[in-house]
Amino acid sequence: MHPRIRVAHINVARDYRGGERQTELLIRELTRHEIDQVLVARRNEPLARRVEDLDIEIRLTTKGDPLTACAATRGVDLVHAHEGRSVYAAYLRSVISGTPYILMRHVNNPIGDHWFAHRAYRCAACVCAVAPAIADVVRDFDAAVRTTVIVPSSSNLPVDTAASSAIRRRFEGKFLVGHVAALDNAQKGQEYIFAVARELKDTDPDIHFLLVGRGPDEGMLKAMAADLDNVEFEGFVDNVGDYLAAFDMFILPSNREGIGSILLDAMDRRLAIVAAGVAGVPTLVRDGETGLLIEPGRPDQLKEAILRLRAQPELRRALGERGFVFARDFSPVAMGEKYVELYREVLSRNKT
């Protein structure tokens, strides 16, 4: 029987994106283990509200700056920093009280090359990267940093058959190409979707693009697609699973990604996937096996892949089935067990 441990999760990001979804999934899974949890989160942001139903302590910060977040991590055995703003808070807690910490790295953006960053990363018990390509970014930044790879989990999204059918009826007779992501064009590349939609609107009017999500570029992207009657913006929804179940295929033509954990949710629904092979995406989408990979910034390849999958239902089904089998290894249960093992290893190491 392992002794209970007390872990503080820090995620002071604004809004609710893939990293926040993974933070929530882990917190929910860890409630089944001998772990007491504290969440340090930004006030009036979705993450804290989404875990209010759980028996955990929530400590809210107004600013999300390192000093404020650090103060909120007192009285725990281990700190788990889930995004970039939290790195320095975790480091400061270690300096003040000797509390060990682990860092999450979800993205392949370069890490700021300054003394404070090197110190914070080197002093971490471990930096957990969501894919081997992300771990490479960390090692390129500083070879002395200890890294490991823990792939995120699927979300086990529920599906209401009636709600999913209602979505299908709204677009009866259409081949639905779905995209679920933050409306952040520089990262997610939604402009390439519109380029394809513009080329197909007259030649292939049955192909319809559904974009689910919100983000900083929403106004710009809606203006960009204003003349496209084959593009629909659905906004932020709580029933993502219903939309995935309604899609005929899924696309993620990103310029940058960490790993694109939404891909696992698409695989859970047996969807054929087309994704740009950036950063950690090929960890999940194996070209010709669990989906089709394209180069980033290539709407011509995106168009070709969509038309190919629309014309070949057997290929769609085969990719979807193989993706479904593949995604079963990345459940919240599996992710939770890996983190519990890591937490106990770090604490055991810290005692010696």
Side-chain angles (χ1 to χ4, degrees):
M1 189 75 172
H2 291 290
R4 293 189 73 87
I5 60 177
R6 189 166 174 80
V7 176
H9 304 276
I10 317 178
N11 190 323
V12 291
R14 295 187 183 278
D15 213 341
Y16 185 87
R17 297 177 65 164
E20 289 64 59
R21 183 172 69 251
Q22 290 298 317
T23 302
E24 179 188 350
L25 287 170
L26 179 59
I27 290 172
R28 289 189 177 279
E29 180 57 31
L30 291 180
T31 60
R32 305 188 321 108
H33 294 265
E34 297 294 309
I35 294 178
D36 297 316
Q37 299 182 85
V38 173
L39 171 64
V40 179
R42 194 183 290 262
R43 191 181 305 276
N44 297 324
E45 295 297 334
L47 177 59
R49 293 196 298 269
R50 292 179 68 95
V51 296
E52 286 177 342
D53 62 308
L54 301 177
D55 184 21
I56 67 169
E57 183 180 353
I58 300 174
R59 300 176 183 174
L60 299 176
T61 72
T62 301
K63 298 179 179 178
D65 63 278
L67 287 174
T68 305
C70 169
T73 59
R74 64 195 180 282
V76 301
D77 302 309
L78 177 72
V79 174
H80 186 161
H82 288 263
E83 41 77 41
R85 300 167 190 80
S86 306
V87 169
Y88 303 106
Y91 169 69
L92 290 173
R93 172 51 56 195
S94 176
V95 170
I96 292 168
S97 60
T99 306
Y101 62 98
I102 66 173
L103 306 179
M104 285 300 305
R105 191 71 187 170
H106 291 276
V107 296
N108 65 337
N109 301 340
I111 302 169
D113 192 14
H114 51 80
W115 175 87
F116 200 13
H118 282 276
R119 186 71 179 163
Y121 274 81
R122 281 189 177 189
C123 290
C126 186
V127 176
C128 299
V130 297
I134 310 302
D136 290 342
V137 171
V138 177
R139 286 190 289 265
D140 288 344
F141 162 69
D142 192 324
V145 177
R146 287 166 287 203
T147 63
T148 191
V149 174
I150 298 181
V151 175
S153 84
S154 62
S155 303
N156 283 349
L157 295 171
V159 174
D160 181 322
T161 304
S164 181
S165 297
I167 296 168
R168 289 294 314 181
R169 285 195 300 274
R170 284 172 52 205
F171 303 99
E172 192 167 355
K174 301 294 186 182
F175 181 82
L176 291 183
V177 179
H179 173 76
V180 180
L183 298 181
D184 180 345
N185 188 57
Q187 181 184 359
K188 301 295 184 178
Q190 280 98 1
E191 65 182 292
Y192 310 130
I193 299 174
F194 304 152
V196 174
R198 188 161 280 109
E199 289 192 23
L200 296 181
K201 67 175 184 173
D202 295 324
T203 60
D204 298 87
D206 62 311
I207 298 179
H208 202 85
F209 297 85
L210 251 63
L211 281 71
V212 175
R214 66 183 175 203
D217 293 336
E218 184 168 351
M220 178 194 76
L221 292 170
K222 284 184 174 179
M224 193 181 295
D227 63 325
L228 297 172
D229 59 6
N230 57 348
V231 172
E232 202 82 26
F233 290 87
E234 295 293 289
F236 182 87
V237 303
D238 287 321
N239 60 329
V240 172
D242 298 338
Y243 278 86
L244 291 172
F247 296 158
D248 291 298
M249 61 175 291
F250 187 87
I251 58 173
L252 194 69
S254 305
N255 293 309
R256 302 190 312 272
E257 279 292 347
I259 194 169
S261 56
I262 188 65
L263 295 166
L264 288 168
D265 299 318
M267 290 177 182
D268 262 351
R269 303 316 314 164
R270 291 181 167 88
L271 285 171
I273 289 168
V274 178
V278 294
V281 170
T283 304
L284 304 180
V285 181
R286 299 174 179 177
D287 191 36
E289 182 182 344
T290 59
L292 300 180
L293 289 176
I294 61 173
E295 298 172 37
R298 293 293 301 271
D300 58 324
Q301 293 184 6
L302 178 60
K303 173 186 172 183
E304 180 184 351
I306 291 170
L307 290 176
R308 179 184 175 193
L309 289 175
R310 195 270 304 264
Q312 299 182 44
E314 286 301 320
L315 176 60
R316 288 204 312 275
R317 280 192 286 273
L319 294 174
E321 286 298 329
R322 288 195 291 266
F324 174 74
V325 172
F326 176 83
R328 286 189 300 195
D329 290 334
F330 301 98
S331 66
V333 171
M335 180 176 69
E337 289 174 350
K338 289 174 183 175
Y339 276 110
V340 170
E341 182 180 350
L342 177 62
Y343 292 167
R344 299 202 183 279
E345 176 193 327
V346 167
L347 290 171
S348 174
R349 191 195 320 155
N350 198 58
K351 290 177 182 178
T352 60

